[in-house]
Amino acid sequence: MNTNKIFIALLLFLGVLAGCQKDKFEDTSFVDRAATPGKLSALFDITQDNTGLVTITPNGEGISYFLLYYGDGTAEPVKLQPGQSTRHRYEEGNYEVRILGIGINGATTEAKQPLTVSFKEPENFEINAVIDPANVFQVNLSAKADYETLFKVYFGDEEDEVPQSFQEGETISHIYKKTGTYTIRVIALSGGAATKELTKEITILNPVLLPIDFEIATQPYPFINFDGGNTTVINNPHPGGLNASARVGKMVKSPGQPWGGSLISLGGPIDFSTNKIFRMKVYSPRVGAKVLLKVENATNGSISFEKEVQTTKDNEWEELGFDFRDINTSNSYQNIVLIFELGTPGDGSANFTFYFDDIRLTNTLPGLSQINLPVNFDTPGINYAVTDFGGNETVDGTDPANSSNKVKVTTKPNGAQTWAGTTIGTPIGFASKIPVTASASKMSVRVYSPAAGLTIKLKIEDHTNGAVSVETDVVTTKANQWETLVFNFLNHSAGTPAFNAASNYDKASIFFDFGNTGNGKVFYWDDVKMAEEPTNPNTLGLPLNFQSSTLNYNFLNFDGGNASVVDNPNASGINTSSKVGKMVKGGGQPWGGAFISLDAPINFSAGKTFKVKVLSPRVGAKLLLKVENQNDGGISFEKEVATTKSGEWEELSFDFSAINIANSYQKIVLIFDLGTVGDGSANFTYYFDDITLN
């Protein structure tokens, strides 16, 4: 029975198994009946960031898959299933996208759809250009904008400039070779035709100005080297002597051209209005090395002026002078050029290595110091150097009549020019204005001439403008003996500029035997000064020496002061004159004193230092000397000096250099011991004499 059950179950299982077998489909007629793909199109989604990125989604009916050609020259199509998209980056332009729709039966339908990729003009465009803090000639530039793909920049310092490209977020740097104002032009590209442009002016200023001493470690000294010259700034390798500074310039002249050197452009034009003499410290490997200093216009190197001097020392610092007094100051000069050993190519060795420092503009050549009138050639410590021209030859000498007196000796040698002359003092004259005025228009010179009847010319001028001048002639009357020649500039030479009291005459030159070619004549000369104007013996004026028997020394006393003229009670020492002034300060006010009115205003053109001889009863007694306007005591100037001796004559000096000489002063006021009331005793009795103006 169990066996029958098993057999029946097996039959049932096989029956079920036979009932589950899959049907076999071999009918494909439905493929043949499938529709041809149709209604092909594409959806374009163009990003608005000027990247040219386009998302393309094809559409159609009866599509098994798409083949899409981008239309920009890309050879291979992209295969897409229905519902898929592709992304592709285009340049700006017009394209034709080709779409192939492939049906399930292999049938193909084609469609073409135009695509326009147009970039937006950049917006919110900004540029940032700043001077590099470590290099004043370098500009650092960055830019940003919306819808830009690239920036291009023109820095504006070259013709036919090739622009440089950079991206947003990038900083690009540029180094200018010269100072000046430049226009930076930046173009923002959209990736296509649309662009945006911005400009910005940048001014390159070089903080290097005269004097140049190389001592500012953080300041660049941008030398431009050329043709074998090579300048750097280094620590001073030879500190000491004339130059103990820390940093100096170093010039190595290497093989190249004979004119190899270096140039530095200053931060502004050189001011030659006052000073026209360059000085520069130089350390040379040998004596006789030539040093050329040249100045040039900032943009036109042909506008220039130069001087060359030679070193006189080797392996030690010395100061060289370059005389630029003949420069045309109507031009502008901003570049300084240095060339060592012009005409000889360097070899880069120690023999062609030079050091230099302290380039500055002054008004004197090295070794010369400016002087003022009077000039007597006798004062120790003063350099009385003179400057000859036209062939003259001047040396120091001694007075042929007095061997202890120092003078100048000028020879006008054979062939010297008719206008040969000698400038008194430095080439640029005196330290201050010659005090000539319409009322004090004369200068005098003592001359020892080889013959009478020779014309001596004296010329005064403005050292900054030789056209501002006046000259006059005097004829000698003695031979081989001294005479004082007086030159009145109101009587100017025919055909020359007339005297002008408003002009700044600060330079004087003397011309011996003017108008004749040199023939060896020798002249001695001395004591160049303002001429002493003859005084009227009947006029009360300076100096006050109380010696006249005809003048009325009418002192007006006030508030306890009492001045009179008496016999000298102590005729000795520096004052042996017979008559002197006496001041007794009695009881009254602390400011008790006396004043005297002169017959004419005081002439301060000849000097501004009063001197008074004083005999005081004690050391430390004060004397106030005051000058006042004749009609207005509020217009005044005063100085106070204390005595240093008692019971003997001494000379006190009162510095009136700060007085306003535009005002008129005619009264002289004397107050002894201002601030203390006198008692009329010997302790308040003073003597004074020889009130002079020097």
Side-chain angles (χ1 to χ4, degrees), residues 451-463:
L454 302 181
T455 298
I456 313 297
K457 180 187 290 291
L458 187 66
K459 178 181 181 180
I460 58 176
E461 60 187 291
D462 183 338
H463 87 273

Side-chain angles (χ1 to χ4, degrees), residues 399-446:
D399 185 341
N402 178 4
S403 60
S404 64
N405 180 37
K406 296 178 181 179
V407 298
K408 289 292 183 182
V409 183
T410 297
T411 301
K412 193 169 183 178
N414 292 333
Q417 300 290 338
T418 58
W419 43 264
T422 302
T423 297
I424 303 166
T426 70
I428 58 171
F430 300 112
S432 58
K433 180 180 178 180
I434 300 170
V436 287
T437 64
S439 60
S441 60
K442 301 174 184 177
M443 287 178 63
S444 64
V445 183
R446 281 207 317 139

Side-chain angles (χ1 to χ4, degrees), residues 534-673:
T535 56
N536 187 336
N538 297 315
T539 299
L540 183 63
L542 295 175
L544 285 174
N545 56 23
F546 310 116
Q547 298 300 306
S548 175
S549 59
T550 60
L551 291 176
N552 181 10
Y553 299 102
N554 185 22
F555 280 97
L556 296 178
N557 303 305
F558 56 87
D559 297 318
N562 185 14
S564 60
V565 177
V566 300
D567 293 335
N568 188 345
N570 186 4
S572 62
I574 64 170
N575 190 12
T576 58
S577 63
S578 59
K579 295 289 186 177
V580 297
K582 176 183 179 181
M583 170 79 78
V584 178
K585 189 171 184 179
Q589 297 295 336
W591 54 80
F595 71 85
I596 189 169
S597 291
L598 306 180
D599 289 340
I602 300 168
N603 178 14
F604 283 100
S605 65
K608 296 185 179 68
T609 300
F610 274 101
K611 292 190 177 183
V612 183
K613 292 175 182 175
V614 174
L615 179 68
S616 170
R618 62 186 182 280
V619 172
K622 297 180 294 181
L623 170 59
L624 180 138
L625 189 150
K626 181 180 183 181
V627 295
E628 292 182 356
N629 180 269
Q630 179 76 337
N631 302 310
D632 184 355
I635 300 174
S636 64
F637 191 86
E638 63 187 52
K639 286 289 181 178
E640 188 175 61
V641 178
T643 61
T644 62
K645 297 179 180 180
S646 65
E648 63 177 295
W649 287 101
E650 68 174 315
E651 190 171 55
L652 304 181
S653 295
F654 300 80
D655 182 5
F656 274 47
S657 59
I659 193 170
N660 182 359
I661 60 174
N663 296 325
S664 173
Y665 309 90
Q666 200 163 334
K667 294 180 181 178
I668 294 179
V669 182
L670 298 175
I671 301 175
F672 284 88
D673 274 331

Side-chain angles (χ1 to χ4, degrees), residues 357-405:
D357 198 9
D358 295 332
I359 305 173
R360 64 195 191 280
L361 200 57
T362 70
N363 57 15
T364 59
L365 290 164
L368 297 181
S369 57
Q370 286 182 283
I371 57 177
N372 276 323
L373 297 176
V375 179
N376 58 21
F377 308 119
D378 289 321
T379 305
I382 292 182
N383 187 336
Y384 290 108
V386 297
T387 304
D388 290 315
F389 51 89
N392 265 8
E393 297 174 357
T394 301
V395 296
D396 293 330
T398 56
D399 185 341
N402 178 4
S403 60
S404 64
N405 180 37

